[in-house]
Amino acid sequence: MTDDLPMRVRADGLPERVRIHEVGPRDGLQNEQTVVPVETKAEFIHRLAAAGLTTIEATSFVHPRWVPQLADAARLMPMLDDLTGVRLPVLVPNEKGLERALELGVTEVAVFASATESFARANLNRTVDEALAMFEPVIARAAGAGVNVRGYLSMCFGDPWEGAVPLPQVTAVCRRLRDMGCTELSLGDTIGVATPGHVTALLTSLNEAGVPTSALAVHFHDTYGQALSNTLTALRHGVTTVDASAGGLGGCPYARSATGNLATEDLLWMLQGLGISTGVDLGRLTATSAWMAGQLGRPSPSRTVRALSHKES
Amino acid sequence: MTDDLPMRVRADGLPERVRIHEVGPRDGLQNEQTVVPVETKAEFIHRLAAAGLTTIEATSFVHPRWVPQLADAARLMPMLDDLTGVRLPVLVPNEKGLERALELGVTEVAVFASATESFARANLNRTVDEALAMFEPVIARAAGAGVNVRGYLSMCFGDPWEGAVPLPQVTAVCRRLRDMGCTELSLGDTIGVATPGHVTALLTSLNEAGVPTSALAVHFHDTYGQALSNTLTALRHGVTTVDASAGGLGGCPYARSATGNLATEDLLWMLQGLGISTGVDLGRLTATSAWMAGQLGRPSPSRTVRALSHKES
């Protein structure tokens, strides 16, 4: 591959700069069956930072029973203390999780809400309202400690039980998370069914409801191969924060459990071609994902990682 | 999966209708190592037509030495005689190939040119000019017989040896193919490196050179996961003919030789969500690709085929 590819050609109506919210170490690894040692996780995060990622969701303080892979959160965080200048948010499920995170000096957290009753019940064993009520004191206490809270909202486009999710339903939960104090909302297409018109409609609906685009991130899944065209559509609408997972971690196409996270490298190829700056070095990131795939003992599901790795081997 | 997914939401500035030029039986199968019996090929094409595809590139009349998989072209074509109302173009490399095709009653053909000298040399063992000179009598003779000629142009965006391909170079070859009588040009991103700004720039450049968008098709490869966002960009520019390969055939992600054709199902998911009509039934097409994957003894590289097949099993 020659160095001038992808050719840089800007397109009208797109932002100059995009911030990638890297979710691989948390959202990616939590779905992996292979147990990853804490030292490997720390090295992974250091490598991601060295590749230029400035926001890396590090782990989750959820109860180990639910996510055994991330049971080492309290051991991991001190291993990242040298990463100054890198935002390292962690997921917290409740007040207890927040307490543990705050004790370790965490300065950004995230909560995980659902736009649909079915998924709230399946994932949180609560109604949507009950889940929001559980998050209210978490967000308030975090805000009191000067800690920013990102609100993940899952099932923003479709739900495996309920089908297409009505826009007003999503908008209402977003508004409540904003009112409760979330500084950023990540709109999740958890089952990967969104298409560009739907993306535009939801973003427009949120604007009309008073949620500014600057407070929004998009989190698309590649289950049906739609993540990148949906992301492009969101960028056209003014979104500048995009969630992605290094190497497509958590989105293994070989496993039945595929969740299909957008691969950071596939996103980066597009952004680089569009001349949109991210500060991330594609070569270093690809090498990191290839290394992590080796740790997990299987090829990366990212098409870009596979293509670039083949060229180098 | 509920039936209301993907949710239909139209987007401004996109066409009402798109014609899918299905390339699986030719471009897809020619890269497959497993020898496929002619009866299976005929059944594949019949199933694709039954799913609603109206343009299916059936085979190639290239010398069997170069593409042994398609050496049965003369046996295959008569097996498709019952498919009235379906366009069944075939690839012809030269006058001899055209003659064989015409004898079998073929009414549409395609030639395969290159925008770069390196690929013309590698693929056709000729310079770009020599290749065009070879096609000139083919196109003239086809036109004389009332047979439409599609011109494939490979390496329109990047070339593995030459890197980024200058727009004027691509535009010049397109103009010549048009002047020689090609009724349609298929712009190929053979190594999958294009991004949306580059796509817009090439389409604009072609318009400025007098090539109407209505005479253009796009042919994106998913090597870096970019095919669908590039297709969306081309649709915004007014393109209404899109090449795709059922099940992503020819684009096996497991093989080093991956060429990465855009999967027809991944395209169809997006078009369906956007309310753009194609006449193709996603369920029947997915079942066909799952069946073909079984014939080839490996999973389909299409994310949509994998996702929908998992749901049904």
Side-chain angles (χ1 to χ4, degrees):
Chain A
M1 182 57 55
T2 59
D3 284 342
D4 64 346
L5 292 173
M7 184 162 128
R8 268 68 160 176
V9 189
R10 288 201 55 83
D12 292 341
L14 292 177
E16 295 281 326
R17 194 173 175 83
V18 159
R19 182 167 62 84
I20 298 176
H21 184 107
E22 170 60 45
V23 301
R26 197 277 301 168
D27 188 17
L29 286 185
Q30 77 178 11
N31 289 311
E32 292 290 339
Q33 298 305 306
T34 309
V35 177
V36 179
V38 69
E39 293 77 14
T40 306
K41 290 172 185 166
E43 181 171 352
F44 183 36
I45 294 170
H46 278 92
R47 284 184 183 226
L48 293 171
L53 286 156
T54 55
T55 309
I56 306 169
E57 197 159 301
T59 185
S60 168
F61 284 82
V62 70
H63 194 287
R65 192 189 305 140
W66 306 123
V67 186
Q69 178 72 269
L70 303 183
D72 54 12
R75 286 206 292 141
L76 174 65
M77 291 312 292
M79 297 169 80
L80 310 176
D81 279 346
D82 58 317
L83 288 175
T84 50
V86 179
R87 296 167 60 176
L88 296 166
V90 301
L91 196 71
V92 296
N94 49 33
E95 283 191 271
K96 181 144 195 248
L98 176 65
E99 256 171 58
R100 291 172 61 214
L102 291 177
E103 278 164 19
L104 288 161
V106 160
T107 57
E108 284 191 60
V109 299
V111 296
F112 196 84
S114 170
T116 66
E117 294 295 345
S118 301
F119 189 66
R121 179 61 62 195
N123 194 52
L124 304 166
N125 198 27
R126 281 172 171 75
T127 65
V128 167
D129 279 346
E130 286 166 359
L132 292 173
M134 175 173 74
F135 294 138
E136 195 149 26
V138 177
I139 299 170
R141 185 156 164 209
V147 163
N148 280 343
V149 183
R150 157 181 263 228
Y152 278 104
L153 192 60
S154 53
M155 303 295 170
C156 286
F157 297 90
D159 173 290
W161 300 278
E162 302 180 19
V165 182
L167 301 178
Q169 185 175 326
V170 181
T171 307
V173 184
C174 282
R175 267 261 42 116
R176 290 179 63 190
L177 286 167
R178 279 285 290 176
D179 291 345
M180 282 159 56
C182 284
T183 45
E184 183 170 270
L185 298 179
S186 171
L187 307 172
D189 181 17
T190 317
I191 59 170
V193 296
T195 51
H198 195 170
V199 172
T200 302
L202 179 57
L203 293 171
T204 304
S205 168
L206 285 165
N207 286 161
E208 287 167 0
V211 180
T213 303
S214 59
L216 297 174
V218 288
H219 185 111
F220 290 115
H221 279 198
D222 227 1
T223 322
Y224 296 84
Q226 309 294 312
L228 202 54
S229 48
N230 289 334
T231 300
L232 176 65
T233 302
L235 297 182
R236 283 199 189 285
H237 195 88
V239 169
T240 59
T241 304
V242 179
D243 294 7
S245 177
L249 271 182
C252 176
Y254 310 95
R256 213 187 150 88
S257 64
T259 58
N261 273 313
L262 171 61
T264 312
E265 290 85 355
D266 296 8
L267 168 64
L268 201 53
W269 185 278
M270 183 179 78
L271 297 178
Q272 214 162 286
L274 285 163
I276 295 173
S277 64
T278 60
V280 184
D281 183 294
L282 180 58
R284 292 186 82 163
L285 183 60
T286 301
T288 298
S289 293
W291 166 81
M292 194 65 211
Q295 301 294 313
L296 295 168
R298 60 161 183 76
S300 163
S302 159
R303 293 186 190 257
T304 299
V305 171
R306 284 201 302 262
L308 292 178
S309 303
H310 284 166
K311 278 179 211 311
E312 274 157 30
S313 61
Chain B
M1 183 57 53
T2 60
D3 283 343
D4 63 347
L5 291 173
M7 184 161 128
R8 267 67 159 178
V9 190
R10 289 201 54 84
D12 293 340
L14 292 177
E16 296 281 327
R17 193 175 176 81
V18 158
R19 181 167 63 84
I20 297 175
H21 183 108
E22 170 60 44
V23 300
R26 197 276 301 169
D27 189 16
L29 287 185
Q30 76 179 11
N31 290 311
E32 293 291 339
Q33 297 306 307
T34 310
V35 177
V36 180
V38 69
E39 293 77 15
T40 306
K41 290 173 185 165
E43 182 172 352
F44 183 36
I45 293 170
H46 278 92
R47 285 185 181 226
L48 293 171
L53 286 157
T54 55
T55 308
I56 306 169
E57 198 160 302
T59 187
S60 169
F61 284 83
V62 69
H63 194 286
R65 192 188 307 140
W66 306 123
V67 186
Q69 178 71 270
L70 303 182
D72 54 13
R75 287 205 292 141
L76 174 65
M77 292 312 292
M79 297 169 81
L80 309 176
D81 279 345
D82 58 317
L83 288 175
T84 48
V86 178
R87 295 166 60 176
L88 297 166
V90 301
L91 195 71
V92 296
N94 48 34
E95 283 192 89
K96 183 145 194 244
L98 175 66
E99 255 170 59
R100 291 171 62 213
L102 291 177
E103 277 164 20
L104 288 160
V106 160
T107 57
E108 283 191 60
V109 299
V111 296
F112 196 83
S114 169
T116 66
E117 294 295 344
S118 302
F119 189 66
R121 178 63 59 195
N123 194 51
L124 304 166
N125 198 28
R126 281 173 171 76
T127 66
V128 168
D129 278 345
E130 285 166 358
L132 292 173
M134 174 173 73
F135 294 138
E136 194 148 26
V138 176
I139 299 169
R141 184 154 165 210
V147 163
N148 280 342
V149 183
R150 156 180 263 228
Y152 278 104
L153 191 59
S154 54
M155 303 294 171
C156 286
F157 297 90
D159 173 291
W161 301 277
E162 302 179 19
V165 183
L167 300 178
Q169 184 175 328
V170 181
T171 308
V173 183
C174 282
R175 268 263 40 118
R176 290 179 62 189
L177 286 166
R178 279 286 290 176
D179 291 344
M180 281 158 58
C182 283
T183 46
E184 184 171 90
L185 298 179
S186 171
L187 307 172
D189 181 16
T190 317
I191 58 170
V193 296
T195 52
H198 195 171
V199 172
T200 302
L202 178 57
L203 292 171
T204 305
S205 166
L206 284 164
N207 285 162
E208 287 167 0
V211 180
T213 303
S214 59
L216 297 175
V218 287
H219 185 111
F220 291 115
H221 279 198
D222 228 0
T223 323
Y224 296 84
Q226 311 293 311
L228 203 53
S229 49
N230 288 334
T231 300
L232 176 64
T233 302
L235 297 181
R236 284 201 189 285
H237 195 89
V239 169
T240 58
T241 303
V242 179
D243 294 7
S245 175
L249 271 181
C252 176
Y254 310 96
R256 210 187 151 90
S257 63
T259 58
N261 272 315
L262 171 61
T264 312
E265 290 85 355
D266 297 7
L267 169 65
L268 201 54
W269 186 277
M270 183 178 80
L271 296 178
Q272 214 162 286
L274 285 163
I276 296 173
S277 64
T278 60
V280 184
D281 183 292
L282 180 58
R284 294 186 80 165
L285 183 60
T286 301
T288 298
S289 292
W291 166 80
M292 194 65 212
Q295 301 294 315
L296 295 169
R298 60 160 183 77
S300 162
S302 160
R303 294 187 190 256
T304 299
V305 171
R306 284 200 303 260
L308 292 177
S309 302
H310 284 167
K311 279 180 210 311
E312 274 158 30
S313 60

